[in-house]
Amino acid sequence: MIKQLYQDWIKGIWRNNPVFVQLLGMCPTLAVTTSLINGIAMGCATCFVLVASSLMVSVIRRLIPGEVRIAGFTIIIATFVTVAELFLAANFPLLSKTLGPYVPLIIVNCIILGRAEAFASKHSPIRALADSFGMGVGFTLSLVLLGSIRELFATGGIIGTRILPASFENWVVMIMPAGAFLTLGFLIGLFNMIESKLKSHKVTMSQGHMTQVKNS
Amino acid sequence: MKKTLHMVAVLMVLGFISGFSLVRMEEYAAPRIEAHRREAVEASIYAIFPKGKSYKVLELGGREIFEVFGSSRSPIGYAFTGKGKGYQDDIVVMIGLYPALTRLAGIEILRSVETPGLGGEIVKPFFKNQFQNLSASEPIRYIVGRAPASDSEIQAITGATVTSRSLVRILNGEIEAVAKLLRQK
C-alpha cells in the first residue's frame, strides 16, 4: 500500500514529469518563468489547485454521472483557481501583479483536468492525493528550474544576489519568450539524455545477469 | 428522464457549493485587495512628493486628483493617474505637478507590462527620474541619440522608442487635461 502510494507520487516527479515528459501546461511554463520567485509562486498555486481538485473529484467520483463529468470537474477546478487567485491578490499583491492573467488561466491548464480525468476519477482519494501531489511537486520543480536558469542568465544573479562575474553581459533574450523556448528545449534534451543513459544502463545490467545465469 | 434529472441535480448542487464558497472567499479577500490598491497609490504619491504628509482627494471633471500637503496648509503639489496604450498593454502612471502647474514633480509607474529589459526599464530610477522638475508648460519631447538640451526633453530608452513615445504621449495628454481642470477650479 505504502509502496503503491510512493509509486503514484514519484512518477510525477521523474518518469511522468508533467513538463519535461508529458509536455503539459506549456502556457504557464513558458510565460511566467522569467524569475525564480514567479516559478515558485505559479508552481505552488498550480499544485494547490491540482491537489484540492483531484481530491474533490476522487471523493465524489461515484456521484457524478459520466455524461456531465467534465462539466463537473471544470466547476470544481474553477472554484479552486478563483480561491487561489483571490488568496494571492489579498496576501501577495506584488506576486499577483506579476503573474497577472496566468493565475486564472490555471483553470485551463491541461495537467489539472488531465489528472482529474485520467487518475482521480478512477482511484481512491488517498491515491489521487499521492498522484496529484507528485504531479504538483514535479510541475513546481520544473518551473523553479526554468525560472532560475532564465533569471541567472538574464540578470546575472538570482533574487538580487549577483552570482556570475561582473564581466558577464546579461542575456536579455533569456527573459523574453525566445529564452523560454531555448531553456525548455535544452532541458527536455537533457532529460531525454539522462533517461536513455539510465535505460541502456539497466539493459546492460540485466544482460550481464542473463549471461551469468547461463554460465552457472 | 431520471438520468437527465440526476445530471441537472448534480451540477446544480456542485454550482451551489462552488458559488457559496466563492462568496465567502470574496468577503475575505475584497477589503484586503482594496487596501493593497490604496497602499500602492499612496506609496506612489509620497514617492513623488517625499515631503508630503497627507493628501486630500479632489473630484474634478469626473476624475480623482490628489492634493498633497506637507507641513504647511498650502498644497505642495497635485498628483493624478494617467492611463494609455503602451507597447503591449495599458501603462498606468501616477503624475505629480507642483502647485504652479508649470513643472512636473515626478512620475511613478503603477502598472506596465512592457518588454522586460527594454520598455520595462521605464520603472527604473535612471529613466523616471528624468521627469523630476521637467517643464510642463510646453509638451514634453523624447529625444534619441543626444543629451537633452532643454528642460522639456527626456532621453528615450534605446530599443524601446515605442514605450518612450507612448509614455510621453500619455503624460502630455493627461497633464494638459488636469492642468485645465485645476486652473478652472
Side-chain angles (χ1 to χ4, degrees), chain B residues 114-160:
Chain B
E114 301 302 290
T115 322
L118 298 170
E121 301 284 293
I122 55 172
V123 302
K124 298 259 176 83
F126 81 86
F127 181 76
K128 69 178 188 204
N129 287 356
Q130 292 189 92
F131 292 89
Q132 286 172 1
N133 223 11
L134 210 63
S135 167
S137 38
E138 51 190 315
I140 301 165
R141 287 186 305 274
Y142 68 95
I143 54 167
V144 182
R146 60 177 170 87
S150 83
D151 63 356
S152 63
E153 289 178 340
I154 59 122
Q155 202 152 19
I157 295 172
T158 311

Side-chain angles (χ1 to χ4, degrees), chain B residues 80-105:
Chain B
F80 47 92
T81 54
K83 186 178 164 184
K85 280 262 160 292
Y87 181 61
Q88 297 188 11
D89 198 356
D90 282 349
I91 298 177
V92 181
V93 56
M94 179 67 80
I95 307 163
L97 275 182
Y98 286 123
L101 305 178
T102 52
R103 280 196 183 273
L104 269 171

Side-chain angles (χ1 to χ4, degrees), chain A residues 204-216:
Chain A
T204 39
M205 285 260 286
S206 55
Q207 276 173 350
H209 181 69
M210 294 262 281
T211 40
Q212 254 183 1
V213 171
K214 262 185 208 160
N215 287 347
S216 65

